[in-house]
Amino acid sequence: MRKHYRLMIPGPIEVSPDVLAHMSDPLTAHYGDRWVEIWRKAVSNLQRVIGTEGDVFPLVGSGHTGNDVVMNSLFNPGDRILTLDNGLFGKRLDDLARAFGLDSVVLEKPWGVPFEAADIHEAAAANPGLKAVFMVHGETSTGVANPVHELAAAAREHGMLVLVDTIASLGGEQYLMDAWDIDVTVCASQKALGAPPGLALVAVSDRAWDAMKDRREPRGFMADLQNLRHFAETQADVHPHPGTMPVNNFVALIRSTDDILEEGLEACWTRHRKVSRVVREGVRAMGLEVMAEERAACVNMTVIHSEDRFKPTAFSDFMKAEYGMHVGLGLGDYVNRTIRVGHMAHNANLEAVTPFLVGLEQYLRRQGFDVARGACLAGLD
């Protein structure tokens, strides 16, 4: 018998039944009037969620596909960019940059510690010729939300393009692409946007398009933003993307982003903040600590130190068996030292996080630790 576990990992997340139902809609062609209507609606919704009037391109693939396309489209081999590394996915940006032959200057911070504007100014002074900075907004290996707004402002002072990986943040964390003067935003469908996996999303500013004029030669077909723009403009009324698209993923994403917009962005961001506070305060009341510094704790997910009080794998098995819930394990050096719980989109509510907290409290007591009954719900006060 198939067993469904509520997905409380940092992504893919639990999808609402209404959104999931669209995955079984009858298929339609990826061209023609109906497809153009779907494409335009998806793009319009994404522009509103991202906070941009610029171009948005949904792509087939994971969030990393979007990062690959951006690296391929904006830069020539040898271009110097700054990559911010305070977690596994910040390090991944450096890996991608080097794979495309870029001169990646890595700015590192310990896991759990956010970057600050001063870090950008120091890096720019020490490394002349930086063309862009690429940063992660919500770092799922640590639970940190880097302060993108102030980092972007600092980078713009030095003439850098600002590229942001919002794969784990967009939809839950406040984000305003145009207002914050950001040039490229990369996201994916399966996290706080509340849709099934399968789509990467790239938003591009006019300044980024201008920068692409310096690229020496086109590389690829589906992975070249300039080619995607060509199709979106010249075949806008019939076939605005050059390839076959997963139509039902688009329809599901439209429904999930409709839900966000109907709730209102401010209300959605507030809901995520409140739920994340309940989680962190409950965790601390049970004598555990979260990895992220409080001033930069991500509202979409939390990384919790096990601190030798329990084995993360054993706790994960317990939650599946007793609560029907799948929580994530740590990454990198913390794979056996932390658990990661996602509380975003459909899971950013008390119905989802309360069983998690109660389960953690129950498990700690079963391991013989003195945890006051009900401590896990301290954040509800």
Side-chain angles (χ1 to χ4, degrees):
M1 180 181 295
R2 184 175 66 177
K3 177 69 174 178
H4 170 68
Y5 301 111
R6 182 165 192 146
L7 290 178
M8 296 289 288
I9 59 178
I13 50 80
E14 194 76 7
V15 175
S16 76
D18 288 343
V19 172
L20 193 60
H22 285 294
M23 294 300 288
S24 60
D25 281 359
L27 281 175
T28 189
H30 62 286
Y31 48 82
D33 292 345
R34 175 59 181 149
W35 170 241
V36 169
E37 178 186 350
I38 292 170
W39 172 273
R40 289 177 178 172
K41 174 63 172 172
V43 168
S44 175
N45 278 13
L46 290 168
Q47 287 174 317
R48 293 171 65 190
V49 173
I50 295 169
T52 184
E53 295 181 359
D55 296 306
V56 176
F57 297 93
L59 315 171
V60 181
S62 69
H64 281 325
T65 303
N67 286 334
D68 265 336
V69 169
V70 168
M71 295 283 191
N72 180 61
S73 299
L74 262 76
F75 306 114
N76 291 303
D79 281 348
R80 173 171 274 198
I81 72 167
L82 181 66
T83 51
L84 305 189
D85 172 7
N86 60 345
L88 186 143
F89 295 101
K91 174 63 169 65
R92 186 71 51 79
L93 294 180
D94 173 57
D95 294 339
L96 290 172
R98 293 178 186 280
F100 283 97
L102 307 187
D103 178 8
S104 175
V105 176
V106 181
L107 184 59
E108 291 186 71
K109 284 234 172 175
W111 283 31
V113 180
F115 286 98
E116 299 175 350
D119 300 318
I120 302 290
H121 293 309
E122 291 173 9
N127 299 279
L130 290 169
K131 185 173 182 179
V133 59
F134 211 157
M135 67 187 78
V136 175
H137 190 192
E139 174 60 72
T140 61
S141 64
T142 66
V144 164
N146 284 305
V148 166
H149 188 188
E150 64 181 72
L151 297 176
R156 291 300 310 145
E157 288 185 33
H158 300 280
M160 284 186 268
L161 293 172
V162 179
L163 289 57
V164 184
D165 173 335
T166 69
I167 294 167
S169 59
L170 188 71
E173 294 280 352
Q174 183 183 33
Y175 187 80
L176 301 166
M177 179 175 172
D178 289 357
W180 293 354
D181 213 13
I182 291 166
D183 295 293
V184 175
T185 299
V186 179
C187 192
S189 56
Q190 76 275 12
K191 294 183 185 278
L193 292 181
L199 295 176
L201 316 165
V202 179
V204 187
S205 73
D206 289 341
R207 191 164 47 226
W209 287 123
D210 287 340
M212 287 184 224
K213 296 175 183 176
D214 294 332
R215 207 182 66 172
R216 286 192 288 271
E217 60 183 22
R219 293 191 298 272
F221 185 81
M222 300 290 282
D224 179 5
L225 283 170
Q226 294 187 81
N227 190 47
L228 299 183
R229 188 189 198 187
H230 170 75
F231 273 82
E233 292 178 346
T234 63
Q235 301 198 43
D237 295 330
V238 62
H239 200 322
H241 187 278
T244 303
M245 301 298 278
V247 176
N248 286 16
N249 283 76
F250 274 77
V251 179
L253 180 62
I254 288 171
R255 178 54 193 264
S256 71
T257 50
D258 274 344
D259 289 343
I260 292 171
L261 295 170
E262 287 169 8
E263 180 181 7
L265 287 171
E266 291 286 353
C268 185
W269 298 333
T270 298
R271 171 168 57 88
H272 281 76
R273 284 195 296 269
K274 289 179 176 178
V275 169
S276 67
R277 179 185 58 79
V278 169
V279 172
R280 293 194 305 276
E281 291 188 10
V283 165
R284 293 183 178 120
M286 290 183 277
L288 299 174
E289 291 297 329
V290 302
M291 182 181 291
E293 292 186 1
E294 183 62 20
R295 63 192 172 103
C298 183
V299 303
N300 290 346
M301 55 87 60
T302 301
V303 179
I304 303 167
H305 289 290
S306 60
E307 300 174 354
D308 297 324
R309 298 180 70 184
F310 62 91
K311 293 182 178 179
T313 53
F315 172 69
S316 176
D317 291 342
F318 169 81
M319 291 301 291
K320 286 180 178 178
E322 299 294 330
Y323 287 84
M325 185 176 291
H326 186 181
V327 299
L329 302 176
L331 296 174
D333 293 340
Y334 293 89
V335 65
N336 296 313
R337 299 161 58 191
T338 58
I339 55 174
R340 299 182 305 141
V341 57
H343 36 78
M344 63 187 87
H346 192 54
N347 285 340
N349 59 69
L350 296 181
E351 177 186 286
V353 300
T354 299
F356 164 75
L357 291 167
V358 171
L360 179 55
E361 179 183 309
Q362 183 183 22
Y363 185 77
L364 290 173
R365 281 206 302 271
R366 286 191 182 186
Q367 303 310 302
F369 295 105
D370 184 17
V371 179
R373 189 172 297 277
C376 65
L377 303 180
L380 294 178
D381 293 342

